């Protein structure tokens, strides 16, 4: 009997050792953590603008749509002779100051959609912290206008956020596991085409299952900078690296499975 028990124990240890080895061999993908801002109530306008520029061109991936002027208005040059956003944001909605309009545009983007463009922008509170959002607003105001954002705005919203009434950055945009709803809620269609509709900043989702394996799709979502698709080098770094926090495990696998079946 003891020999049988010993064999069972040894077999169990061998199985555990085997799977432990496999776990160490498989690459562990981690989503890049967005830059943390330490700006406080005494932050200067210059510091806010500098931080906002980094967010606009980096973690916020704003230039992916707004820099082209095709999927969203060009905020820095103002196509059609309109001028940069800082020179006209105070006139976009009657009676609404510039910084309030920009804040609403980033946190409730469906409230006012510019004519000629689709409502594809996600609530940026899912991707950026409140400090980061205000920094981006300061940067946008600096484009031809006066920076009225102050450290007091950051402190005020920090107090509201701590009360639990404001979404926290890098959290699921929806509780659904429906892949098409997830792609829409997270703004993916703004850059990728699906069923012939969407942006062209990233590779089309149509037929992507025939071009990439599920493992490659998963990596491209969690670590978009690991490998850039051929022909999209100019857009490298624009896709947010925060989906590892924004998607639950079930949501991630639902999206991967859906994309893998698009052939």
């Amino acid at each position: 009997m003891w020999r049988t028990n010993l064999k069972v124990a040894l077999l169990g240890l061998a199985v555990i050792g085997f799977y432990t080895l496999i776990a160490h061999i498989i690459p562990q993908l981690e989503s890049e953590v967005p830059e943390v801002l330490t700006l406080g109530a005494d932050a200067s306008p210059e510091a806010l603008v500098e931080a906002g520029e980094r967010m606009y061109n980096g973690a916020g991936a704003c230039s992916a749509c707004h820099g082209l002027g095709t999927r969203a208005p060009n905020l820095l040059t103002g196509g059609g002779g309109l001028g940069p956003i800082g020179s006209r944001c105070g006139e976009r909605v009657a009676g609404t100051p510039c910084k309030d309009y920009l804040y609403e545009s980033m946190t409730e983007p469906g409230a006012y959609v510019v004519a000629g463009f689709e409502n594809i922008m996600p609530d940026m509170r899912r991707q950026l912290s409140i400090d980061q959002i205000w920094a981006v607003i300061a940067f946008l105001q600096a484009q031809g206008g006066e920076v009225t954002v102050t450290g007091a705005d950051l402190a005020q919203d920090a107090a509201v956020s701590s009360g639990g009434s404001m979404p926290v950055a890098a959290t699921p945009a929806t509780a659904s596991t429906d892949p098409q709803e997830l792609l829409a809620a997270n703004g993916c269609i703004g850059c990728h085409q699906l069923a012939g509709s969407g942006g062209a900043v990233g590779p089309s989702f149509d037929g992507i299952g025939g071009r990439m394996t599920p493992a490659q799709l998963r990596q491209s979502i969690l670590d978009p900078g690991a490998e850039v698709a051929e022909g999209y080098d100019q857009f490298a770094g624009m896709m947010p690296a925060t989906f590892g926090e924004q998607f639950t495990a079930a949501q991630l696998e639902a999206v991967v499975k859906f994309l893998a079946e698009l052939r």
Side-chain angles (χ1 to χ4, degrees):
M1 177 64 72
W2 68 270
R3 290 181 179 177
T4 300
N5 291 338
L6 179 60
K7 290 180 180 179
V8 171
L10 291 174
L11 178 61
L13 289 174
V15 171
I16 293 173
F18 173 75
Y19 282 106
T20 300
L21 176 62
I22 293 298
H24 284 288
I25 292 175
I26 297 175
Q28 302 299 303
L29 298 178
E30 294 183 3
S31 180
E32 180 183 349
V33 178
E35 178 181 0
V36 177
L37 295 183
T38 56
L39 300 171
D42 58 347
S44 68
E46 292 77 16
L48 288 167
V49 171
E50 180 182 356
E53 183 175 12
R54 295 200 303 272
M55 291 299 106
Y56 186 89
N57 294 307
C62 309
S63 56
C65 291
H66 290 286
L68 301 175
T70 53
R71 299 300 299 167
N74 192 316
L75 302 179
L76 304 187
T77 63
L82 294 176
I85 188 64
S87 66
R88 52 191 170 89
C89 52
E91 302 172 357
R92 298 298 291 169
V93 179
T96 302
C98 172
K99 71 176 182 181
D100 293 340
Y101 165 74
L102 292 174
Y103 185 86
E104 181 181 51
S105 296
M106 294 187 69
T107 59
E108 298 180 44
Y112 182 81
V113 180
V114 177
F117 296 95
E118 299 177 34
N119 181 20
I120 60 173
M121 181 174 169
D123 181 344
M124 294 306 292
R125 288 174 293 186
R126 302 294 180 185
Q127 187 170 316
L128 300 177
S129 70
I130 298 302
D131 284 8
Q132 290 171 331
I133 287 175
W134 278 117
V136 170
I137 292 172
F139 168 67
L140 294 176
Q141 284 189 313
Q143 309 309 305
E146 177 187 0
V147 178
T148 60
V149 176
T150 67
D153 292 308
L154 279 65
Q156 175 181 339
D157 268 341
V160 174
S161 181
S162 64
S165 60
M166 184 174 294
V168 179
T171 58
T174 173
S176 173
T177 54
D178 178 86
Q180 295 194 58
E181 182 178 336
L182 287 166
L183 293 176
N186 286 279
C188 306
I189 308 304
C191 293
H192 302 272
Q193 287 198 353
L194 179 62
S197 177
V201 176
S204 173
F205 287 151
D206 295 327
I208 198 168
R211 305 191 302 271
M212 300 178 70
T213 66
Q216 290 173 322
L217 289 167
R218 189 177 297 105
Q219 182 185 47
S220 68
I221 295 171
L222 296 177
D223 188 12
E227 185 174 350
V228 179
E230 184 178 354
Y232 293 90
D233 292 341
Q234 69 271 36
F235 301 121
M238 288 187 174
M239 180 171 168
T242 57
F243 289 111
E245 286 84 34
Q246 287 177 246
F247 284 154
T248 65
Q251 289 175 331
L252 173 63
E253 293 311 308
V255 170
V256 169
K257 182 176 184 295
F258 173 73
L259 295 177
E261 293 175 352
L262 295 177
R263 298 177 180 273

